[in-house]
Every structure is written in C-alpha cells, then in structure tokens.
Amino acid sequence: QGRRARVRPQAHHIRNFRDCEIMGRKKRASRKKEQHSDSEDEENEEETVEENKEEAPDEPVQPDGDSDTGSEESGSDNEEDQVSKPIGVQVEYCPKCTFPFEYCEYAGMIEQCKPGLMEWMKRKAVATEGEGEIDEASLENKVKQKKKTPEGVEKMLPGGKVKKKPMATKLHLQEENMVVISVASRQKRKAVTSITGLELFGVKLADAAKDFKKKFSCGAAVVKTPTGKEQIDIQGEFRDQLLEMWEKQFKTIPKSAVFVVDEGKNKVAAFE
Amino acid sequence: SNAMFKKFSMEVVQSQNKTKSSVQRAIRQKLEEQFPTLEGAWDDIMPPKSDFMAVKCQNHITLITADKQILFFQERDGPYSPCLRLLQQYPQMLPKMQCDIGACKFIIGGSNIMCPGLTHPDACMDEDVGVGQIVGIYVHGKEHPCGVGMMKMSTDAIRKVNKGHGIENLHYLGDGLWHNHTLDM
C-alpha cells in the first residue's frame, strides 16, 4: 500500500488511498493494451459506457463524471479491465440525396435514389434474414405519396387538423388578346372584381391597382392566377363603374377587346 | 434560434484561424464534460494531430471543426450540439426524443417539434430532461436521428401540457449545415 499511483490534476473523486491504488492498477492495465503512445496518458481513458453504471456496494460513492473507480472491485478482481471505447456507427448514405437510405423518401428526389435504395433494402433484408422478399410494394407507396391530393379534398394533418385543398378558380381560357372583368363573391355580401389581361396591353398592373384603390376607396391587389398569369383583384363590385371610367383610364385598350362576365358566366362584349 | 442552418455556406463564416492549443484543450475539456458517453472515442472524433479550428460565424455561432469537418456548433456561450452526421455515428451521445412518423416531413422542413408529436402512442421520450437540454430527434420506424434539437419544455411539462413547441429544431436532415459539412464549401 505504500505505492502511490500517478494522480491526475483534477482528481476530485479521489478520497482515499484505495482509490489511488485502483486507479494505478487500471492505468497499468490500460497501458499494456495501448498500441501507440500519446504524449499525455491521462487523456486516454478507455473505459466503456457500461462500466459507469456498475458500482459495487462496498465502494465509496463516486460522482457521475468519473467511471474509473468503484467499478472494478465487485467480487473477483479483474486485472484486465474490459476496456472498449464507443465505436462509431457506420451509416449508409444515399449517394444521390445524401440522406441515410431510410430517409430517401423525404429528400424529394426518390426517382434518382431508387436504384441505390433498392440495393440497400436488399442488403438489409439479407442481413436481417427475416424478410426474404424486398418490400417493393411499400417502396412504390412511398413514391406515390408524393403525388398531390386532388383538389377540394380534405387532408388529415398530424395532430388532428384538417386541411382543405381549395378548388381551382375557374378561369376562362384566354387564348385571344382580351381583357376580362368578372365578379366573384368573397363572403356573403362581399364581392371581388377581377380584371385579367391588362398586362397584354402594356398596362402596369401595380400602377393600375393603385389607381383603382384611389378611385374606389377600396383594396386592390395584383394576384397570380393558377395558370401563372396575373390579375387585379378589387374588393367590391365594380363591374359597371370600371366600364364607365374606362375611356379616361385605359385609352390605349381598344374597347372591342374588353369582355365582362355576367350572371350567366358568359363573356359579353363590354362596349357595344 | 430556429432556422439557424437553413441557409449555410461559406458566406456566413467570419473567421477561420487555427486555434491556440490552450483554447483547444479548454474546448475539448468542455466537450468531454458535456458528452460523457463518448469517453474513449474522442481520439477517433478529434485526433490529437488533427487540424482543430473553432470557426466563428454570423449570428454568434461557433463551429468546432477537425480536419475541415464540422463536428459541433454552439450558439453564443450555450451548450455544444453535435452535427447530425456525428450524432448518427454516435447516437448514444444525446438523449433520444422520438416522434411519430407523421412529424418527419415537418422536421425535415425545419419546423419545431410540437408536444402532441411527442405524446403520440408511437412517440417515446427516452429520458426525463429539462429545458435547454440538447437532444437527438428521432422518428418512429427509423433507425437514425433526423435532427438535433433543444428542449423548449421539460419532458414532464410536455406530457402534462401537451400543447405548443416542445423541442426547438436546431439542425436537421437536409439543412444548410447537413449539405455543407466541410469547411471548403
């Protein structure tokens, strides 16, 4: 007991001589196993995670941080400590999307990932031995899920919320150069007047919207339609008023190109 | 803060100087304290002869890198969080918080984890941890973590209240840091 093991500078846990002896023994054992020598031996701790938990009842209570002491004195003394460091898991990453293969479906490029993903699934199936068949069906499901739900259908979100997909706005096909004014109902009593096609005649939509706002004392905005075109939405029903101010406002647009959507949802020439 | 690494590239890096060995030792000490389960593996993660750098970025973020690989990040003087790739290698380094599979799409989109996702029958909170603890975000049915987060509510509070943001999503699969995990981006 006269020997003193080399004590580390921050060895708070060492309360008695016995601790030093145990540490010394461990250090000598671990030194035997060292393949390469590093400059500072103290920093080469090679105890496992499991050893942290083990504590023989007759040992003094040790703080959690240190695993050295207290775990070796239970029953038979092991001169050869079970020293094994945590080994890093080798994760297989998809070469296409860079995600671990099990997450390829969330990377947004499943079609490119598929070949590699199939290979990985085969390898996994072989490794687990249980499932001999590749789960092609489930893979197809994963790919299919990406398709959009049809319009107007309710979608269940996690957490119980329900999301309704809005119906696509009915757009009259605008193949020819025309300006179309239509009114849709916003709430029970409110309406929206939409004007499409102004940009085809060189009208700057932002400026036009501003003018409408001033003239009608209401909200007007430039909105993108599902087809990609832009239209002006004016909050309120201004079909007739628009036609009245047309000459002053839009001199450049020939009247024959202007159409209005009436109750019958037909396009009628605005000016006779 | 959220969206920390949504956009991440060399542009946000402000200084890249080789760190002094004293600073290096201090950082390594802090890391060893914060992640005791990695005892013994540090020489594999950060070899002593490796090119160790503490890189400073915008928004008070510090990155710990070794041999140009980004290993940890830290906001201001807060706790260190591992890069998701490192966590996937050593899953034992963080407590596991598992959500139901439905949350996966949102986690990968960068959103925070809401309490109902953690109290779902498929969900599981491995350990009881408090606010501010760095955790690994897992999803039911997947082996590897898909995110690194910080507890906004304690596991106890999450179970009781079951409303609101439970875990802040700091770093997730497919974010800027996931794609740019080496310093020469």
Side-chain angles (χ1 to χ4, degrees):
Chain A
Q1 274 203 351
R3 284 175 302 161
R4 261 209 169 187
R6 195 154 55 137
V7 176
R8 290 180 302 164
Q10 304 103 8
H12 316 290
H13 59 283
I14 296 191
R15 298 194 194 178
N16 54 35
F17 224 78
R18 204 172 174 203
D19 293 336
C20 299
E21 196 184 274
I22 298 161
M23 259 230 325
R25 205 185 307 148
K26 286 188 87 172
K27 283 297 159 199
R28 284 193 296 281
S30 67
R31 231 171 272 147
K32 282 185 210 166
K33 289 200 169 185
E34 265 178 23
Q35 308 251 332
H36 51 272
S37 59
D38 276 310
S39 49
E40 305 205 35
D41 286 331
E42 276 91 354
E43 285 173 15
N44 272 350
E45 309 240 286
E46 295 185 31
E47 287 82 14
T48 55
V49 179
E50 291 82 56
E51 294 186 357
N52 287 346
K53 314 291 179 199
E54 277 179 56
E55 253 195 63
D58 52 7
E59 285 303 306
V61 178
Q62 305 297 339
D64 282 345
D66 265 284
S67 64
D68 301 333
T69 58
S71 56
E72 295 306 287
E73 286 291 296
S74 49
S76 52
D77 271 11
N78 312 345
E79 276 297 296
E80 287 283 327
D81 301 335
Q82 303 291 322
V83 283
S84 54
K85 56 185 179 178
I87 300 172
V89 171
Q90 292 294 340
V91 186
E92 290 196 63
Y93 295 107
C94 170
K96 297 291 175 186
C97 67
T98 74
F99 287 12
F101 279 111
E102 58 179 358
Y103 285 105
C104 277
E105 58 195 286
Y106 294 99
M109 42 193 287
I110 185 77
E111 289 300 324
Q112 296 177 47
C113 298
K114 246 177 164 178
L117 181 56
M118 298 300 288
E119 282 294 298
W120 175 75
M121 287 173 92
K122 280 184 203 168
R123 273 180 279 143
K124 240 188 111 186
V126 166
T128 53
E129 291 174 346
E131 315 108 278
E133 289 171 29
I134 311 148
D135 220 348
E136 286 235 24
S138 73
L139 184 64
E140 285 304 317
N141 277 343
K142 286 174 187 174
V143 180
K144 275 184 189 167
Q145 265 168 31
K146 285 299 155 190
K147 289 189 184 162
K148 287 185 183 171
T149 52
E151 290 162 344
V153 169
E154 289 181 358
K155 190 177 166 188
M156 283 292 289
L157 287 178
K161 287 188 194 163
V162 172
K163 182 174 167 185
K164 225 179 188 174
K165 202 123 204 259
M167 300 290 286
T169 49
K170 283 186 187 173
L171 256 199
H172 303 277
L173 286 171
Q174 300 212 190
E175 289 172 276
E176 305 149 42
N177 272 12
M178 13 183 220
V179 177
V180 180
I181 302 172
S182 63
V183 175
S185 59
R186 198 152 61 88
Q187 286 174 21
K188 281 182 192 166
R189 64 188 194 286
K190 294 191 181 175
V192 174
T193 310
S194 310
I195 314 180
T196 59
L198 278 173
E199 69 268 23
L200 298 167
F201 296 92
V203 176
K204 284 192 181 159
L205 292 180
D207 294 340
K210 234 185 184 178
D211 284 334
F212 292 141
K213 268 193 205 175
K214 278 190 192 166
K215 292 241 165 69
F216 303 132
S217 314
C218 65
V222 178
V223 159
K224 269 194 188 148
T225 61
T227 56
K229 287 192 186 162
E230 292 188 319
Q231 70 182 32
I232 297 181
D233 278 353
I234 313 173
Q235 289 171 11
E237 218 260 75
F238 299 109
R239 226 183 338 200
D240 301 321
Q241 286 169 311
L242 273 173
L243 298 178
E244 277 176 21
M245 54 166 272
W246 198 264
E247 291 198 35
K248 292 179 199 168
Q249 187 72 14
F250 303 114
K251 295 173 198 169
T252 51
I253 305 178
K255 291 182 194 172
S256 54
V258 183
F259 292 85
V260 172
V261 174
D262 66 1
E263 284 81 26
K265 298 200 178 168
N266 296 322
K267 275 185 266 185
V268 175
F271 301 103
E272 274 151 322
Chain B
S1 57
N2 217 1
M4 214 195 282
F5 294 113
K6 200 157 191 168
K7 288 179 192 172
F8 181 76
S9 64
M10 278 306 266
E11 293 173 348
V12 305
V13 172
Q14 286 172 340
S15 80
Q16 260 193 74
N17 302 314
K18 191 157 167 65
T19 339
K20 280 196 291 184
S21 58
S22 58
V23 177
Q24 197 172 325
R25 255 180 284 130
I27 294 176
R28 187 157 154 161
Q29 170 90 4
K30 257 190 164 180
L31 288 172
E32 289 181 15
E33 272 176 37
Q34 204 185 323
F35 304 108
T37 49
L38 288 188
E39 206 173 314
W42 289 110
D43 284 342
D44 290 337
I45 298 171
M46 300 198 306
K49 302 292 180 191
S50 66
D51 181 24
F52 182 105
M53 273 204 278
V55 178
K56 296 221 187 279
C57 300
Q58 286 172 10
N59 299 321
H60 307 273
I61 295 175
T62 310
L63 305 174
I64 306 300
T65 71
D67 289 332
K68 302 275 183 185
Q69 298 288 323
I70 303 175
L71 299 174
F72 297 90
F73 62 91
Q74 176 197 39
E75 194 180 359
R76 293 170 202 269
D77 260 327
Y80 287 100
S81 311
C83 254
L84 190 52
R85 286 173 203 270
L86 182 63
L87 177 62
Q88 287 170 344
Q89 255 191 303
Y90 295 96
Q92 68 268 49
M93 65 192 294
L94 290 180
K96 296 189 186 182
M97 299 289 137
Q98 184 177 288
C99 315
D100 67 301
I101 187 69
C104 192
K105 186 171 67 163
F106 299 97
I107 299 170
I108 292 181
S111 63
N112 291 339
I113 319 290
M114 310 298 274
C115 290
L118 291 162
T119 53
H120 190 277
D122 285 341
C124 168
M125 293 191 283
D126 242 20
E127 313 174 14
D128 280 337
V129 290
V131 180
Q133 168 73 38
I134 306 293
V135 294
I137 302 171
Y138 293 74
V139 167
H140 173 75
K142 304 291 181 192
E143 182 191 345
H144 302 111
C146 56
V148 176
M150 183 193 282
M151 303 297 288
K152 273 195 141 175
M153 296 164 61
S154 70
T155 45
D156 227 18
I158 290 174
R159 287 187 201 108
K160 284 189 189 149
V161 177
N162 204 14
K163 250 201 255 182
H165 295 260
I167 306 178
E168 188 180 348
N169 190 357
L170 301 174
H171 169 41
Y172 49 93
L173 206 55
D175 71 357
L177 183 57
W178 172 267
H179 287 299
N180 297 319
H181 58 109
T182 46
L183 278 183
D184 15 274
M185 319 168 205

